[in-house]
Amino acid sequence: MAAELPVKEPEFVTTVPPGRPRPAITLVVVLLAFLTVPMSISGAAVALPGISEDLHTAGAPLQWVMNAYNLTFASFTLVSGSAADLVGRRRAFVVGGGVFAVGSLAASAAPNIVLLDIARALSGIGAAGVFASGGAILATTFDGAARTRAFAALGSAAGLGLAVGPTLSGWLVGGVGWRATFGLHAAILAVALAGAGYVAESRAEHRPRLDVSGAVIFVAGLGTLVLGSVQGPEWGWGSPGALALLVAGVGLLVVFVVLQARSATPLLDLTLVKNRRFLALCMVPVVSTFGFVTLLTYLPTYFVGASGFSPQRAGTVLLLMTAPVLLAPPLAGGLVNRGVSARVVITISLVMFAGGNAWLTVIASSSSVAVIAGPLLLTGLGAGLSFGVGDGAAMSLVDSHQAGMATGFLNTMRIGSEAIVIAVYGAVLVSLISTRVGSQGLAARVAAGDLTGGDSGTLADGFTHALHVALGATAAVCTLGAVVIAAALAPPRRRVSATSSPPKDPQLPTTVA
């Protein structure tokens, strides 16, 4: 048998304040931040009606409360990760958290919608720094089974933020107003930053400078692509404006890849992307966006509009899907630490997305909760199994000096896919509804939960038909994703002699030579 290659020494510098118990505090600090960032996504959506009434705004300016955050979050995550490797992961975390907190405070005090949208864009930039450096901090603080547990806890924290965001925001909006929602996000981040002094600093030694030109081109390219995806449903996908943005975005990203291949200090080391197992693990959150995040976004609208649920009841029913996201990550991490292949756990989770979306096609406007409980639970369990385990497995395949770059790329795939897929999913729903109701404008209102423009039964049936088609297509995408990712995560084939045993599927969360 071939001799094992020696494990490389991590190429990073770590400084720890003497006598301070960093690992436990480090985990709490990062978990608090990862709780808050997704909470700011799901919670802000509930605040939109209150913002609309208070600031006397509607339509596109109001939607940019969400879009501005998602746009900058997606665009700056890779840049933040690479910068963290250079200047220090703790420093990048603190700066990102500070920018997020300042943006949230500014949002809570914004006197008009323009300043609110700008504040939300600022918060998105800070969120990018938090997500890119937070995962890198855990990857360089923990090893082996402890790393698996830490990333499983990270998955639970992110799931908790998504799940409780709408509930907390609803309480705050109903009790003291929408401004308190953004104030709460700033307060939680401030608590996390108070413990940042106990976090070890680490940075790569051999990255002398940041690829500024690459950063500018990447931010412009991805930002333009996301902007085109967001505006496509409103302007029309075939409109000159939308087409120009989409083509320009793709073109800039192609230029970025070409420049990175020639750069001595690339913003994104393309050897990461060429690692099929790492790239496959980065595709897991993309499939999760199709199978889970789309439902988290559009099911409440269906419940309120087509089924006639109150917002409170819709949120309660949605707990059937979000609660497993809180409980399953530790279970998945425990399975991996007991010898179950991470590849098996991740593949099962993606199959659950496919099964849950296909099963949910039983939904109708008159469906009881019992009818849809099964598919919601199955989908939520699939999300919980993949959250955390996939990230931990991806980071185990990366040298420590690239931890920030790797987490930046991983979360760029996650946030970028969410911004693009959610916009496209909504446009597909509107298009399908319009074939039943005969009007694009009316279809847009129906997809937003407003069924007052015609016969409510006919409109509800049109919404249900559109949702069924979208669910079936999503199930097919998730099935394909499960097959492709499982194949890419398979161990490399080796020639086996007659006297040796066949190669085993190695556990992904291990140190890689």
Side-chain angles (χ1 to χ4, degrees):
M1 296 179 63
E4 293 185 359
L5 294 175
V7 177
K8 294 179 181 179
E9 287 297 322
E11 299 180 50
F12 64 95
V13 177
T14 302
T15 58
V16 186
R20 293 183 175 180
R22 61 182 173 87
I25 296 180
T26 295
L27 182 60
V28 171
V29 166
V30 175
L31 291 184
L32 276 176
F34 270 64
L35 167 73
T36 311
V37 169
M39 185 189 297
S40 186
I41 299 174
S42 62
V46 178
L48 291 182
I51 294 171
S52 175
E53 181 178 356
D54 186 34
L55 299 184
H56 310 291
T57 187
L62 181 64
Q63 287 303 315
W64 273 97
V65 173
M66 300 293 296
N67 293 340
Y69 182 91
N70 292 333
L71 178 65
T72 54
F73 192 176
S75 301
F76 282 88
T77 300
L78 177 60
V79 177
S80 298
S82 292
D85 287 336
L86 176 64
V87 305
R89 285 107 190 198
R90 180 181 66 187
R91 180 178 298 176
F93 181 85
V94 171
V95 172
V99 170
F100 178 91
V102 169
S104 297
L105 282 176
S108 70
N112 57 61
I113 191 62
V114 173
L115 291 179
L116 176 57
D117 289 343
I118 293 172
R120 288 288 287 167
L122 184 64
S123 295
I125 295 174
V130 168
F131 254 49
S133 55
I137 287 171
L138 293 190
T140 53
T141 300
F142 299 96
D143 268 321
R147 175 189 284 172
T148 302
R149 290 192 295 269
F151 274 94
L154 202 66
S156 291
L160 179 62
L162 284 173
V164 305
T167 302
L168 285 177
S169 184
W171 291 343
L172 290 171
V173 171
V176 294
W178 63 268
R179 297 181 187 275
T181 298
F182 301 111
L184 174 65
H185 303 156
I188 299 176
L189 239 301
V191 172
L193 293 178
Y198 294 88
V199 176
E201 181 63 285
S202 65
R203 63 176 64 86
E205 283 188 315
H206 72 286
R207 300 193 72 240
R209 64 181 179 84
L210 182 68
D211 181 4
V212 177
S213 60
V216 171
I217 293 172
F218 180 79
V219 170
L222 185 59
T224 303
L225 182 62
V226 172
L227 180 60
S229 301
V230 168
Q231 294 299 124
E234 182 180 349
W235 296 348
W237 292 104
S239 67
L243 286 176
L245 288 172
L246 294 173
V247 171
V250 172
L252 286 170
L253 291 177
V254 171
V255 172
F256 169 76
V257 172
V258 172
L259 292 178
Q260 294 307 285
R262 301 175 179 177
S263 174
T265 56
L267 186 75
L268 174 63
D269 187 343
L270 296 183
T271 59
L272 282 177
V273 182
K274 292 176 182 177
N275 183 331
R276 64 176 174 86
R277 304 178 85 193
F278 176 76
L279 183 60
L281 290 166
C282 290
M283 291 302 298
V284 171
V286 177
V287 179
S288 299
T289 296
F290 279 96
F292 177 75
V293 179
T294 53
L295 296 184
L296 194 65
T297 303
Y298 290 104
L299 270 185
T301 301
Y302 180 84
F303 288 150
V304 173
S307 299
F309 289 5
S310 67
Q312 292 79 9
R313 188 184 181 195
T316 301
V317 172
L318 208 63
L319 286 174
L320 290 168
M321 190 172 71
T322 56
V325 179
L326 314 181
L327 305 176
L331 170 63
L335 290 173
V336 170
N337 282 338
R338 286 172 174 80
V340 177
S341 169
R343 176 193 179 210
V344 170
V345 174
I346 291 169
T347 302
I348 290 174
S349 75
L350 303 184
V351 171
M352 285 181 171
F353 286 143
N357 278 264
W359 188 0
L360 193 56
T361 56
V362 301
I363 195 171
S365 58
S366 59
S367 294
S368 67
V369 174
V371 170
I372 59 176
L376 293 182
L377 286 168
L378 183 64
T379 303
L381 184 59
L385 289 177
S386 63
F387 278 19
V389 167
D391 287 17
M395 294 308 300
S396 74
L397 300 174
V398 178
D399 286 335
S400 297
H401 71 277
Q402 293 181 318
M405 180 189 294
T407 55
F409 180 75
L410 174 63
N411 284 298
T412 295
M413 296 291 286
R414 173 178 284 116
I415 306 304
S417 68
E418 288 180 5
I420 294 171
V421 170
I422 287 173
V424 173
Y425 195 96
V428 168
L429 284 178
V430 171
S431 178
L432 291 170
I433 293 170
S434 68
T435 62
R436 290 296 185 96
V437 303
S439 165
Q440 193 80 2
L442 180 57
R445 292 199 301 271
V446 171
D450 181 5
L451 274 66
T452 60
D455 178 70
S456 59
T458 301
L459 298 180
D461 288 343
F463 200 166
T464 302
H465 163 74
L467 186 60
H468 284 180
V469 175
L471 288 169
T474 299
V477 170
C478 293
T479 300
L480 178 62
V483 172
V484 172
I485 290 173
L489 293 179
R493 293 183 178 181
R494 297 197 301 268
R495 301 183 70 178
V496 182
S497 67
T499 58
S500 63
S501 58
K504 295 180 180 180
D505 182 7
Q507 292 297 318
L508 288 171
T510 55
T511 303
V512 177

